[in-house]
Amino acid sequence: MIAPIVPQSWYLPSKPHKFCPGCGHGIVLKALGEAIDELKIQDQAIFGCDIGCSLLSWDFFACDSTQTHHGRTTPVMVGIKRSRPELITIGYMGDGGGYSIGSQHLLNAAVRNEKVTLILVNNTNYGMTGGQMAPTTLPGQKTETSPYGRDPEVTGYPMMGPEFLAAVTADSAYIARGTVSKYKQLKKYIRSALKNQMEGKGFSFVEVLSTCPTNWRTNACQTWNFLEDEMEKQFPVGELKNPLGKGDK
Amino acid sequence: MLRIIGEPKKSFVTGNETAAWACLAAGADMMFGYPITPQNEIMHYWTRLAPKYRRGFLQTEDELSAGFTVCGSVQSGKKAFTATAGPGNVLMQEPFGMAEAMRLPLLAIIQQRGGPSSGTVVYSQQEVTLTTFGGNGEGMRIVYSTATHQEIYDYIIKGFNTAWKYRFPVFILGDGYQAKMREPLEMYDPEDKGIEMIKPFPLIGLEGHIGAGREPQHLCNIYSLEEELYEVVMKVAAEYESIKDIIVEYDEKNCDDADIIVVSHGVVSRAADDAVKILRAQGIKAGYFRPITLRPYPHKQLRAAIAKSGAKKLLIAESAYGQLDKLTKQEIFGETVKIENLFMPGVGIIDYDIINKVKSVL
Amino acid sequence: MESYIHWEVFSFSQKITNRIVEAYIGEYASGKSEMAINRALELKNQGRQVTLVDLDTVEPFYTLRILKKDLEQMGIDVISFAREDAFGLGETGAMLNPRARWALMHEGDIILDIGYGVQGAKTLNLVEGAYESPDLLIVAVINGTRPMTDSLEKTKEYLIDLGRVDAVVLNTHLGDKSTPEIIIEGNNVIQVAARELGIPIAYLAIDENLRDAVPAAENDIPTKYIKRYMPGAIW
């Protein structure tokens, strides 16, 4: 049997991983793994994960890692970075952990320009607990706690995280939104988010539009359509802030 | 009140659903909550049923918010409730503290899961200390520890009345197994059992014009002077003491003459009940004592059971590392009976676990 | 599809040779997993090759995961993570074994246990080629004592909400407190609902302990006596 080529920073004993078939997490973690390899930071990297599907990544990397509490990955990474600035802290969370219970920490870390790198995977629902509504659930989208479809009159419109963070951060912050449907671009954004921390510039954040066919109950075609058509319409992909300049390849 | 169930009927349900239906039948107006296993189905069912009965719901950004939104709702005069577990219960201690301080009749359903921290999503009895004495207060709360779906239903209906009559926060302490188990249940509208639901009343947003008929309401939970606080705490404590005998509930069997009494609560008491029956059939004089209210704890009744039974030992059995044990010991301070323990934190206890332990200590 | 074809497929008396693909859907705690297990064992006992697929994406409890080893020892291939695979993973909720996606690639019969959820039968989208399979039968399991399906109107509304349903299993019971009256009355209501919506009845499911107490079904509806395995899936 031929083993697939995987990043060196991936931890082989925990493979194959347990993410659902069709889940976008695998793609994000591959881009992150390749970025860690290319930037040669495997020894300095600290990987923190949240509760929810991101929890399945706790032993994903051959890097020092810690699982935290739901929504508390950001402050734990801040604590580590403030104590040991030479470490490269990478916080990994979902839309619930980042924009819901973790939103106050995200906001404050952003305002303080904490030199951490946060990757937030947005799949418009709380996947691990069975598909409840999330801050990024689209209007009209059915979830277990919006069984008749999300009504923006009652629960507001989807959270625009990178836009919100771009508005409150200093110029030295890096803010971007990528998608698992554009891998090269996603990896570029993750590399920039890591470099921004490595160069000591500031707060670095990448939201990634991702798929959850299990809770969306979609087949492959429907999954991709939802990601590329519906989600990208609501959540524009691109770099909102890049202090590293356009020259970074 | 609008009837929800109609004729009392028997249904096959899970514990979480039971909680949602009971809150509906009890006339709850609002639920605020946040996803956490194993209580999510309470929200799933409430969100499906609420619109049909014009009740409200909001999934908040976290448990802190869920607890505080319930406090606000209750202050405005609506019957509000929430449900949570584990780390969510930890977070909610802040708003529960405010409810204790400001005498807010909130109701919370706690489905215990493994602890500490994220523990397991499955089951435990490790939130006893937290639910009875959590927060930075003196435990001025009422806690019902249920063991069957019928009790979840009955005690939620009773719980809303207890909360609104005496103005202490009320907790229905279940666990992940009760949340998910399937059992028959008789659902009913309270009036079919002669139960009158107490109408909620606002503490703010009162009727009438300020200055011309009514005063503005100023509520607080902070005081300037130590003496002020002393007065407040002592007054609340006195009120709590005065209702203890009315609220307290327990169950005991075979305690007229026993060598050892098995003390347990919640779902473990079902195993204890079976264990005691089997032990008796084998000629071993075991007794069964189950506190139903953990706050206030039926200590007088336990002391009486120890006295009349002549028991030399108690066996405290719990799916935790000593939370019921600690609570019991503090409540029956002075008793000289020897106390044995069966601690199985986060793990279910079956009748044979208890039987074997009883035999090993007698 | 005309209803007489369904009777043939579900008939006890006939030995079926073409492939059987059945997806068990239904309300929370309606008995889907129990029906799926019993059906898989029934087919196994007829000498057929059977794969049982766990598509319960919401519950960490009461899923096939916990019974996987026991069922495999009985000769059924089970696609699901084992309970130990979830060890240390905390929120053991939505864990879908990737093999479930390709379940139809397996030879032999496929029995799918679809968990509950607001999307109803759409969960079958997760199984590659399920809707396109000519053998697929979507079977809704209904217990008439469950509050969401305990009246004619509610049962009809529920069936309509589910989406495509090819047949209904009558599974009214009240656990240990089941009585023949409760079972018969509940199932009668479900039958009326199904008839009004033009959905055939697959079979009547009765706990084998009640074999003598509850009469077998009439009108060519098969009766299956069910052994309860799921109580072992908790604790």
Side-chain angles (χ1 to χ4, degrees):
Chain A
M1 190 179 86
I2 301 171
I5 299 171
V6 297
Q8 183 192 308
S9 54
W10 273 24
Y11 186 59
L12 290 180
S14 63
K15 307 292 175 289
H17 60 66
K18 300 228 172 55
F19 290 105
C20 295
C23 171
H25 273 287
I27 298 174
V28 184
L29 293 166
K30 179 140 185 240
L32 177 57
E34 287 182 358
I36 289 174
D37 286 354
E38 287 164 20
L39 295 170
K40 300 195 192 350
I41 51 172
Q42 185 177 355
D43 292 328
Q44 297 84 17
I46 304 292
F47 180 79
C49 66
D50 204 272
I51 290 283
C53 291
S54 71
L55 175 55
L56 291 172
S57 66
W58 77 285
D59 59 353
F60 200 95
F61 288 100
C63 303
D64 292 340
S65 310
T66 180
Q67 175 224 331
T68 65
H69 276 200
H70 188 34
R72 315 300 178 199
T73 305
T74 302
V76 172
M77 294 300 105
V78 166
I80 294 169
K81 186 70 183 180
R82 290 245 172 189
S83 311
R84 298 272 304 278
E86 74 278 14
L87 298 174
I88 304 299
T89 52
I90 306 169
Y92 191 73
M93 64 198 76
D95 39 66
Y99 295 145
S100 203
I101 190 168
S103 53
Q104 78 173 63
H105 306 306
L106 194 59
L107 164 64
N108 283 283
V111 167
R112 289 194 305 260
N113 207 26
E114 299 286 355
K115 296 170 183 52
V116 296
T117 299
L118 304 176
I119 299 174
L120 187 149
V121 178
N122 172 4
N123 59 16
T124 71
N125 81 120
Y126 278 66
M128 183 59 86
T129 44
Q132 291 84 18
M133 194 177 92
T136 48
T137 298
L138 300 184
Q141 189 178 343
K142 284 192 183 178
T143 67
E144 294 301 321
T145 49
S146 62
Y148 307 108
R150 179 179 189 164
D151 182 357
E153 294 292 303
V154 178
T155 54
Y157 285 88
M159 169 74 172
M160 305 297 289
E163 286 78 2
F164 160 77
L165 293 169
V168 300
T169 42
D171 290 339
S172 56
Y174 178 84
I175 313 281
R177 181 189 281 113
T179 168
V180 298
S181 67
K182 299 189 172 80
Y183 184 79
K184 284 196 234 184
Q185 178 193 65
L186 173 61
K187 193 165 87 159
K188 182 161 89 93
Y189 292 169
I190 291 178
R191 280 184 56 120
S192 297
L194 290 168
K195 286 202 74 172
N196 205 46
Q197 180 183 165
M198 290 163 69
E199 290 173 18
K201 287 202 163 63
F203 180 78
S204 309
F205 179 86
V206 181
E207 179 187 297
V208 186
L209 302 183
S210 183
T211 52
C212 182
T214 300
N215 283 302
W216 297 348
R217 305 286 205 271
T218 46
N219 61 29
C221 236
Q222 295 162 342
T223 300
W224 224 244
N225 287 344
F226 189 72
L227 172 71
E228 289 191 307
D229 300 338
E230 303 302 317
M231 286 176 71
E232 276 196 49
K233 243 191 302 201
Q234 171 68 47
F235 305 111
V237 171
E239 280 176 327
L240 287 82
K241 251 185 178 162
N242 185 354
L244 300 159
K246 287 206 188 325
D248 174 57
K249 289 280 180 281
Chain B
M1 200 178 75
L2 180 66
R3 282 157 140 305
I4 308 298
I5 312 294
E7 288 289 305
K9 62 181 179 184
K10 290 198 165 48
S11 301
F12 191 66
V13 288
T14 60
N16 278 338
E17 283 180 82
T18 302
W21 281 102
C23 290
L24 202 59
D29 298 299
M30 303 285 296
M31 178 187 184
F32 297 91
Y34 187 79
I36 187 164
T37 313
Q39 55 83 45
N40 294 316
E41 284 77 24
I42 301 179
M43 274 198 307
H44 295 180
Y45 275 87
W46 185 263
T47 51
R48 280 153 184 70
L49 298 169
K52 299 186 183 159
Y53 300 96
R54 286 195 300 279
R55 313 293 175 89
F57 172 78
L58 179 65
Q59 181 180 313
T60 55
E61 62 274 25
D62 63 12
E63 287 89 348
L64 287 172
S65 180
F68 281 110
T69 43
V70 168
C71 285
S73 182
V74 159
Q75 284 178 318
S76 76
K78 295 289 177 190
K79 281 203 233 187
F81 73 98
T82 186
T84 191
N89 192 3
V90 173
L91 287 173
M92 286 209 190
Q93 294 307 316
E94 199 196 329
F96 292 159
M98 184 165 113
E100 275 188 57
M102 301 178 81
R103 306 295 301 282
L104 306 178
L106 67 74
L107 185 127
I109 301 152
I110 311 289
Q111 302 288 37
Q112 299 170 93
R113 54 183 266 173
S117 183
S118 312
T120 67
V121 301
V122 183
Y123 160 84
S124 83
Q125 294 191 315
Q126 293 169 290
E127 295 172 44
V128 167
T129 307
L130 191 59
T131 309
T132 52
F133 284 97
N136 60 336
E138 309 284 2
M140 300 287 117
R141 5 171 118 184
I142 293 163
V143 180
Y144 294 105
S145 176
T146 57
T148 65
H149 293 4
Q150 195 62 57
E151 285 184 1
I152 293 175
Y153 195 88
D154 297 341
Y155 282 105
I156 283 178
I157 289 179
K158 178 183 284 191
F160 275 106
N161 274 352
T162 305
W164 284 91
K165 183 167 182 189
Y166 301 107
R167 296 177 48 223
F168 291 104
V170 170
F171 298 86
I172 308 297
L173 188 66
D175 57 70
Y177 284 155
Q178 286 185 66
K180 307 285 184 163
M181 259 162 38
R182 290 96 205 266
E183 272 186 3
L185 165 74
E186 191 198 50
M187 294 213 254
Y188 52 87
D189 290 310
E191 52 257 49
D192 286 334
K193 301 272 174 175
I195 300 171
E196 202 188 308
M197 293 313 292
I198 295 175
K199 287 198 188 358
F201 49 87
L203 302 172
I204 47 173
L206 274 51
E207 285 186 7
H209 293 297
I210 293 174
R214 80 159 178 99
E215 291 297 298
Q217 305 300 296
H218 295 125
L219 309 179
C220 73
N221 52 62
I222 188 170
Y223 303 92
S224 320
L225 306 173
E226 302 96 298
E227 299 80 53
E228 263 184 285
L229 180 68
Y230 175 84
E231 300 282 334
V232 169
V233 173
M234 294 304 279
K235 180 163 171 287
V236 173
E239 248 189 82
Y240 189 82
E241 296 294 331
S242 74
I243 64 161
K244 270 178 164 178
D245 289 336
I246 307 168
I247 305 284
V248 84
E249 292 197 32
Y250 74 105
D251 188 18
E252 69 166 62
K253 296 181 188 171
N254 293 117
C255 286
D256 291 327
D257 175 25
D259 292 329
I260 183 168
I261 297 177
V262 178
V263 179
S264 63
H265 77 106
V267 85
V268 175
S269 68
R270 290 164 76 148
D273 193 24
D274 290 339
V276 166
K277 287 192 173 86
I278 294 171
L279 286 164
R280 283 273 170 182
Q282 293 176 0
I284 295 174
K285 297 199 310 186
Y288 161 98
F289 189 90
R290 172 196 169 199
I292 296 176
T293 49
L294 294 180
R295 281 291 285 161
Y297 192 99
H299 70 97
K300 290 184 196 166
Q301 293 83 355
L302 180 53
R303 290 180 195 270
I306 294 168
K308 72 181 172 186
S309 66
K312 295 286 179 287
K313 294 195 174 194
L314 294 186
L315 171 63
I316 300 186
E318 57 179 316
S319 296
Y321 193 73
Q323 298 194 22
L324 179 66
D325 176 75
K326 198 169 65 211
L327 182 65
T328 304
K329 282 172 175 161
Q330 103 194 1
E331 294 285 338
I332 61 169
F333 178 70
E335 296 293 327
T336 54
V337 66
K338 184 160 185 345
I339 297 179
E340 303 283 351
N341 297 124
L342 177 60
F343 292 159
M344 294 179 66
V347 175
I349 297 181
I350 60 169
D351 46 12
Y352 274 88
D353 293 324
I354 296 175
I355 290 168
N356 293 337
K357 184 71 188 180
V358 164
K359 288 182 176 172
S360 76
V361 301
L362 270 183
Chain C
M1 240 174 152
E2 297 193 340
S3 39
Y4 78 87
I5 296 174
H6 293 273
W7 298 146
E8 281 188 288
V9 172
F10 289 106
S11 166
F12 260 113
S13 52
Q14 230 177 318
K15 236 195 170 180
I16 326 298
T17 44
N18 47 319
R19 178 158 120 144
I20 290 176
V21 178
E22 281 169 22
Y24 283 84
I25 64 176
E27 216 247 314
Y28 186 41
S30 59
K32 304 176 286 301
S33 299
E34 206 69 269
M35 296 303 119
I37 292 173
N38 275 270
R39 179 64 167 150
L41 287 169
E42 181 194 7
L43 294 170
K44 176 94 202 80
N45 291 337
Q46 287 173 14
R48 302 172 70 90
Q49 188 183 356
V50 188
T51 303
L52 189 49
V53 186
D54 178 10
L55 277 167
D56 195 327
T57 62
V58 190
E59 283 260 69
F61 307 76
Y62 279 116
T63 68
L64 299 181
R65 215 180 292 164
I66 296 156
L67 300 173
K68 182 174 152 90
K69 288 211 165 67
D70 301 322
L71 292 167
E72 280 172 345
Q73 265 160 13
M74 292 193 244
I76 302 176
D77 191 9
V78 180
I79 296 181
S80 135
F81 280 116
R83 195 162 160 257
E84 303 77 59
D85 297 324
F87 187 75
L89 285 178
E91 299 289 319
T92 56
M95 275 173 59
L96 193 60
N97 190 314
R99 287 172 66 214
R101 178 166 179 68
W102 308 102
L104 294 184
M105 304 279 141
H106 284 244
E107 282 181 7
D109 300 333
I110 314 289
I111 305 296
L112 302 140
D113 176 11
I114 314 279
Y116 81 102
V118 74
Q119 315 278 14
K122 277 172 69 187
T123 307
L124 278 170
N125 273 322
L126 300 176
V127 179
E128 189 71 13
Y131 279 116
E132 294 78 25
S133 164
D135 305 314
L136 174 71
L137 276 160
I138 298 180
V139 182
V141 180
I142 304 188
N143 178 343
T145 68
R146 302 274 305 120
M148 297 303 225
T149 50
D150 64 3
S151 77
L152 181 59
E153 278 318 300
K154 286 188 200 171
T155 305
K156 280 170 66 176
E157 200 186 306
Y158 179 71
L159 281 168
I160 293 168
D161 269 343
L162 273 180
R164 174 182 151 191
V165 174
D166 299 318
V168 165
V169 168
L170 307 171
N171 187 36
T172 299
H173 73 90
L174 199 61
D176 292 336
K177 297 220 166 76
S178 297
T179 65
E181 295 74 36
I182 290 173
I183 293 174
I184 293 167
E185 198 190 309
N187 284 335
N188 281 344
V189 172
I190 302 169
Q191 283 191 70
V192 172
R195 197 184 319 130
E196 287 184 17
L197 292 174
I199 305 173
I201 305 294
Y203 53 88
L204 161 68
I206 301 286
D207 188 321
E208 63 177 9
N209 296 324
L210 293 170
R211 185 186 283 261
D212 299 322
V214 181
E218 301 162 348
N219 305 329
D220 297 328
I221 296 174
T223 302
K224 293 194 200 251
Y225 295 100
I226 304 294
K227 189 159 183 281
R228 304 236 167 246
Y229 294 93
M230 292 309 287
I234 192 168
W235 217 305

